[in-house]
Amino acid sequence: MFPLPSRAVVRAMTALILVLAVLAVARPSRAASLTKVTGFGSNPGPLNMWVYRPDGLPPGSPAVVALHGCTQSADVYYTNSGWRRFADLYGFALIFPEATTPPSNCFQWFQEGDIGRGQGEALSIAQMVTYATSTYQLDPGRISITGLSAGGAMTAVMVATYPELFDAASIVAGLPYRCSPPASTSTCMNGPVTKTPQDWGALVRGAYPGYTGPRPRVSIWHGQADYVVNKANGVELRDQFTDVLGLSQAPASTTSLPGGTTMETYGGGEVRFYRIAGMGHGTPVDPGGAAEQCGTAGAYFLDTICSAYYDSRFFGLDTGSPPTPTPTPSPQPCFTATNYAHTQAGRAYQSGGYAYANGSHQAMGLWNTFVTTTLRQTGQNSYEVVGSTC
């Protein structure tokens, strides 16, 4: 027989069991992350659906649908556009449709089969909104939509074909609804397509004949040095949606904003037109920690002004109650190594002789044993480039 343990040993063992039980129950919840969603509908697009919901997001919260530009992905737009910051701050969900058409993953804003109500990519995006509103108990009266370039043009498509789904919209470096069909895409991208405001408005009204409900408010952003989508498209968008909303094409007021931005307000503010002097083609961001700053500068994310900040306010999202904050996470580990070593360790990948961080897809430089980079882990198999110290 084994000797009976002492009373002190029994107490120690009991305490250890209690500690282990508490730890098993009190495991911290996983931080919110971008999550892929399937089974949201027939998806004739076909498109991918990704969703971000801040931890503790209560029922009845609003949402923003965000459409990336060509050559981008849902993850790239989520990571760099600045929208996640305000989703966490103000308490709203983000829905990221993702184009899958090779070679550039552009939304098909110029294809007849994708820009009509009840078909193609337009229907896929509408199904995402309906699914998310029901599944996550979002407020159907507070769904907004934004997009860059081809995503901006598809935003105009959605506002025209499904006006009942959206409270407001933001079109960034985009194009008017039906500025292309049956013409080629280059017609509107390279220069203006001259129509009267009434003609532009008639194209939107014709997308959903007989609709008499409210129309979404619209903000328009366009760089005045845009070399991809001619800046005339910003003016044509202004004409199209002021006509749809029954407003004058003369601004009611003009305001100077940071980053060389001029904001023109139409009617009672239902339409806003942001002209950004000297800016090329991309989403306006303004990296930094101030209240009006957001985003990460890079390809097609241009350091001028935080458009997500102004659009969050335009959408009325800054008046909501933010979700219950989660505990501050522990500092994430950093890794300093050559770009070749990072790829061998699974923290990065190489393409065309260059290394890119997993998850953020940030460029790290040449893929070799001579260039050294510091990466900080931000999630499971996700890293971001940081300075030499972390």
Side-chain angles (χ1 to χ4, degrees), residues 337-351 353-358 364-369 371 373 375 381 383:
T338 68
N339 285 350
Y340 178 80
H342 279 307
T343 61
Q344 294 301 298
R347 294 185 290 267
Y349 64 95
Q350 76 88 15
S351 177
Y354 291 85
Y356 298 87
N358 285 350
M364 299 162 54
L366 290 171
W367 181 58
N368 58 32
T369 59
V371 178
T373 306
L375 297 179
N381 197 32
Y383 301 85

Side-chain angles (χ1 to χ4, degrees), residues 203-231:
L203 292 173
V204 171
R205 288 184 286 271
Y208 187 2
Y211 177 73
T212 58
R215 298 277 181 176
R217 296 169 288 114
V218 177
S219 71
I220 301 156
W221 298 79
H222 218 108
Q224 299 304 286
D226 195 323
Y227 50 87
V228 176
V229 177
N230 190 285
K231 67 179 183 180

Side-chain angles (χ1 to χ4, degrees), residues 151-353:
M154 187 56 69
T155 297
V157 169
M158 297 309 299
V159 170
T161 55
Y162 290 93
E164 77 278 15
L165 292 182
F166 303 105
D167 178 55
S170 172
I171 302 170
V172 183
L175 306 105
Y177 178 62
R178 284 196 173 277
C179 73
S180 181
S184 68
T185 61
S186 61
T187 303
C188 5
M189 288 179 63
N190 293 345
V193 176
T194 304
K195 296 183 186 294
T196 66
Q198 294 74 25
D199 288 341
W200 280 123
L203 292 173
V204 171
R205 288 184 286 271
Y208 187 2
Y211 177 73
T212 58
R215 298 277 181 176
R217 296 169 288 114
V218 177
S219 71
I220 301 156
W221 298 79
H222 218 108
Q224 299 304 286
D226 195 323
Y227 50 87
V228 176
V229 177
N230 190 285
K231 67 179 183 180
N233 286 281
V235 177
E236 305 297 341
L237 278 164
R238 184 273 315 270
D239 288 352
Q240 186 167 63
F241 287 104
T242 51
D243 182 77
V244 168
L245 290 167
L247 308 177
S248 168
Q249 282 73 55
S253 64
T254 301
T255 306
S256 295
L257 296 175
T261 306
T262 300
M263 179 184 73
E264 299 171 0
T265 302
Y266 295 83
E270 297 90 343
V271 172
R272 294 182 179 180
F273 183 15
Y274 299 85
R275 305 178 194 244
I276 307 174
M279 192 184 85
H281 187 70
T283 296
V285 298
D286 184 15
E292 299 179 8
Q293 291 183 295
C294 73
T296 304
Y300 306 117
F301 297 98
L302 306 181
D303 188 352
T304 49
I305 183 173
C306 172
S307 55
Y309 167 78
Y310 289 92
D311 278 338
S312 293
R313 295 168 63 87
F314 177 64
F315 294 166
L317 302 175
D318 60 322
T319 59
S321 299
T324 303
T326 55
T328 302
S330 301
Q332 296 296 325
C334 289
F335 305 87
T336 300
T338 68
N339 285 350
Y340 178 80
H342 279 307
T343 61
Q344 294 301 298
R347 294 185 290 267
Y349 64 95
Q350 76 88 15
S351 177

Side-chain angles (χ1 to χ4, degrees), residues 64-155:
V64 174
V65 181
L67 286 72
H68 63 81
C70 293
T71 75
Q72 295 180 333
S73 65
D75 182 68
V76 166
Y77 214 69
Y78 161 79
T79 301
N80 299 292
S81 64
W83 275 106
R84 179 183 176 177
R85 176 181 185 185
F86 299 106
D88 290 336
L89 178 63
Y90 297 141
F92 57 87
L94 293 170
I95 303 167
F96 292 91
E98 184 176 63
T100 60
T101 303
S104 300
N105 292 344
C106 295
F107 288 101
Q108 302 296 289
W109 59 272
F110 50 88
Q111 294 288 357
E112 193 66 27
D114 288 295
I115 65 172
R117 184 179 176 89
Q119 59 184 351
E121 291 187 353
L123 177 56
S124 291
I125 297 171
Q127 289 175 339
M128 293 181 198
V129 174
T130 302
Y131 176 90
T133 301
S134 173
T135 303
Y136 308 127
Q137 302 180 51
L138 303 173
D139 183 349
R142 300 182 65 199
I143 309 297
S144 302
I145 185 169
T146 183
L148 164 67
S149 192
M154 187 56 69
T155 297

